[in-house]
Amino acid sequence: MGKPLFYEILEKPATTCIIGVCSAIWFYIQKKNIGYSHVGFSYENAIEGHHWRIITSTFSHISVLHLVFNMSALWSLGIVEQLGNIGLGVVYYLHYTLVLVVLSGVLVFGMYHTLIHRFKLEHFRRVTAVGYSCVVFGWMTILSMKQPSSKLDLFGFLSLPISFAPFESLIFTSLIVPQASFLGHLSGIIVGYAIGWGLINGMNNYWAVTMLGWIVLVFVFSLKRSGAYDFSFFEIESITDPYLPSVRFPASGNGRTLQMSALPVGDVELV
C-alpha cells in the first residue's frame, strides 16, 4: 500500500503547486470559453511579437483529457523533489523547470524556423503548440540519466523503465495521439539531455530570480506591444530630450504625466 495522498503532497510541494496552477488555468479557459489559438504558441504569432505565448502555451491545455495525461505523468516525475541525496531536490526542480519552460519553447521556435525557411514546409507556420508536455518530457529525460534503475508509473497501471521512457513515450504518444506535438516533445527531451549532461548548469537562486525577472519583463512588454492586452496604467514615451524618458500614469478621467525635469547639458553624470 502506498503512502496517503496527504503525505505525498507534502513530499512534492512544487509539483503539487504546478498541477494546481495548470488545473486552475484550464478551468479559467473553459469558463471564459477561450480557444487554444488565443493562448497557444505558433511561429507566426512569435514573429508578430507574441513572445508571451511561450509561457501561456506551456501552462494551458485544450481538454480535460489532455490535462489529466500531462499532470498524471508530472505527478510521477515529482519524485525528483525527493532526491536531494543525489543532487536533485525541490530547489533543483524549480530552477530547471524554469529552464525547461523557456528553452524548450525557444527550441521549438528554432525548429519551426528551420523547417519553414530551409525545407520550405509552410505547414509549420500555422501549427499551434499547447500543453506542459515539453517540461514533462524534459524531466523524464533528466530522471532517466540521474536514476536509470527507477520506473515511471503512469495512470496507476502503466509502468515504464525510466531509462527508455522518453523515447518510448515520444513514439507512443505520436502513434496514439496524432495531434501530439512531436517537435514539442522532442525539444523537451533535447533540453533534458543538455541539463542531464551538464551542458546547462550553474543555476542558483540568483540566476533563477534574474531569469524570472526577465521573463516577467518580456511577458509584459510583448503583451503590450502585440496589442494582446492594454496595460494602460503604464506607458513609456519619448520627450524632447531623447535621453530622458517620461513615465505616464493615467488617472481615471484625465491623464497625468510624471516627467523628469530637463538636466543641463555639460559635465553631468547620470547614475
Side-chain angles (χ1 to χ4, degrees), residues 206-219:
Y206 171 79
W207 288 114
V209 171
T210 301
M211 190 175 181
L212 187 60
W214 277 109
I215 290 171
V216 171
L217 281 175
V218 171
F219 188 92

Side-chain angles (χ1 to χ4, degrees), residues 12 45 61 66 102 107 209 225 250 265:
K12 303 176 182 179
N45 287 327
H61 294 81
H66 186 203
V102 175
L107 185 56
V209 171
R225 209 172 161 191
V265 179

